[in-house]
Amino acid sequence: MFKLAPSILAADFTRLGEQIALVEKAGADELHIDVMDGIFVPSISFGMPVIQSIRSASGMFFDVHLMITEPVRYLEEFVKAGADGITVHAEACSDLRSTVMKLKELGVRAGVSIKPNTPISVLEDVEALIDRVLVMTVEPGFGGQKLIPECIEKVKELAEHRREIGAGYDIQVDGGIGISNVRRVAEAGAEVFVAGTAVFCGDILQNVKAFKEEIRVAD
């Protein structure tokens, strides 16, 4: 089943609660929350206080994407703030397996993200444990970028590998996902689509509806 996860990084923060309510009303499946520390990636976004404040305003699944160095330091705090699922970057963890084990211990969905140039082989030690692999289709750190076409082949490679080993994780994509390319990425094997600008710029209700219709065709 395909899922749409709008990224609040592209939302209007003067109307954040209202816009979250709109994507929920429109039928979005998850809310994607990008946390950036200015070290692992150049940008700085937001942290636990923002997540905690919007948690009380929404019943959506909070998909928290930690683009921070050594995320294991803060996992408990993000869970307490309201995260339902947490994705960490393989490249940001000195001990990826222990970080994933901590997520499992905390009882949230455990995800691992890989950057465009990171091989899928880095997942080998945690594939049996994780619930999600997030394939970055742009270099992480900034919204509004164009999808890197070669990353579609990476999604296909990961989907084929998943079938071969019988793993149960879902495949998520993030970066430059829009109406014009979401079907192609779905056909490559992705199931969860993060979209920021393509959802929050313009008519949110219509944008979500168009996304849902497009991925329904590919389902």
Side-chain angles (χ1 to χ4, degrees):
M1 179 183 174
F2 293 141
K3 295 180 179 179
L4 177 65
S7 170
I8 64 168
L9 195 62
D12 178 351
F13 271 66
T14 66
R15 303 168 55 214
L16 185 57
E18 174 190 338
Q19 293 196 339
I20 290 172
L22 280 174
V23 296
E24 186 169 6
K25 178 182 177 182
D29 303 284
E30 302 182 3
L31 197 68
H32 190 77
I33 302 171
D34 289 304
V35 177
M36 300 184 284
D37 65 358
I39 301 171
F40 178 66
V41 292
S43 297
I44 297 174
S45 58
F46 40 75
M48 285 80 80
V50 169
I51 297 170
Q52 190 170 15
S53 67
I54 62 175
R55 178 74 282 178
S56 61
S58 175
M60 293 185 74
F61 183 97
F62 278 15
D63 171 35
V64 177
H65 177 196
L66 299 182
M67 289 178 270
I68 66 176
T69 301
E70 295 297 351
V72 70
R73 297 173 295 157
Y74 300 108
L75 297 181
E76 289 188 43
E77 285 81 359
F78 279 106
V79 172
K80 288 176 184 175
D84 296 301
I86 295 178
T87 296
V88 299
H89 267 267
E91 307 89 352
C93 302
S94 58
D95 189 337
L96 180 59
R97 185 178 178 86
S98 67
T99 302
V100 169
M101 291 295 290
K102 182 65 175 179
L103 286 171
K104 303 300 283 187
E105 177 189 319
L106 290 168
V108 293
R109 284 179 61 86
V112 174
S113 181
I114 52 177
K115 294 162 72 172
N117 293 324
T118 300
I120 67 171
S121 58
V122 302
L123 303 168
E124 184 176 352
D125 198 37
V126 296
E127 283 180 298
L129 301 171
I130 55 179
D131 302 295
R132 171 168 294 175
V133 174
L134 167 54
V135 177
M136 291 300 301
T137 45
V138 298
E139 286 296 331
F142 299 97
Q145 299 182 65
K146 290 185 178 179
L147 180 145
I148 300 170
E150 292 79 10
C151 292
I152 297 178
E153 287 303 311
K154 189 172 197 173
V155 171
K156 190 179 296 184
E157 178 191 3
L158 180 62
E160 290 172 357
H161 173 70
R162 181 180 61 176
R163 280 194 295 271
E164 289 172 1
I165 67 171
Y169 54 77
D170 61 34
I171 298 174
Q172 183 179 48
V173 287
D174 181 3
I177 304 298
I179 299 297
S180 64
N181 59 29
V182 68
R183 194 186 304 184
R184 257 193 316 140
V185 184
E187 289 168 350
E191 295 129 340
V192 186
F193 309 94
V194 177
T197 306
V199 167
F200 285 103
C201 288
D203 187 328
I204 292 174
L205 291 172
Q206 184 56 43
N207 290 341
V208 171
K209 180 182 177 183
F211 258 108
K212 298 287 278 188
E213 288 176 353
E214 192 70 11
I215 59 179
R216 192 177 297 120
V217 171
D219 201 347

